Amino acid sequence: MALTSSMNWGINLLISLTFLTVTELIGLSWVCFIYTIMSLASLAFFIVFIPETKGCSLEQISMELAKQKYVRTPLCGVSQRREKLVPQELAERGKEQLY
């Protein structure tokens, strides 16, 4: 959540600092077109890569995302074993069906 919030504030800052300069350089209609393309690209990313979590508990979501044997951490690119990433209680519950 902290990473997502930081990215949101960072992108908002970037847009706020560059909007007037870019508008003067290429015009308002092109700026709106570029922002539209970026929005459509992010929508496509969400549809393709983000799993549906409606009606699932946090434990179910954690177990679903941790089903891979190895998980690549996005910050350093080092692979870690799943057992290190999933708490022991969740790993034991994963053997049972969660509803």
Side-chain angles (χ1 to χ4, degrees):
M1 295 270 298
L3 179 65
T4 303
S5 182
S6 298
M7 288 294 293
N8 186 21
W9 280 96
I11 297 297
N12 287 336
L13 177 65
L14 181 68
I15 289 173
S16 298
L17 292 175
T18 60
F19 179 75
L20 293 176
T21 306
V22 174
T23 302
E24 289 176 2
L25 290 174
I26 63 174
L28 182 61
S29 60
W30 283 105
V31 171
C32 290
F33 179 71
I34 290 170
Y35 288 156
T36 302
I37 295 299
M38 290 170 48
S39 296
L40 292 175
S42 59
L43 177 66
F45 173 82
F46 288 133
I47 290 172
V48 172
F49 292 108
I50 306 297
E52 178 62 47
T53 58
K54 182 178 181 180
C56 297
S57 67
L58 291 176
E59 290 85 10
Q60 289 172 326
I61 295 169
S62 295
M63 289 306 297
E64 187 68 31
L65 294 176
K67 279 186 179 178
Q68 298 173 342
K69 183 168 180 138
Y70 288 93
V71 178
R72 183 171 290 277
T73 57
L75 295 178
C76 60
V78 177
S79 294
Q80 297 179 2
R81 292 193 61 76
R82 182 185 74 176
E83 292 81 18
K84 292 181 180 179
L85 298 175
V86 179
Q88 185 64 27
E89 306 87 46
L90 292 178
E92 290 172 2
R93 283 190 202 172
K95 297 174 186 173
E96 305 168 2
Q97 296 232 353
L98 296 174
Y99 292 102

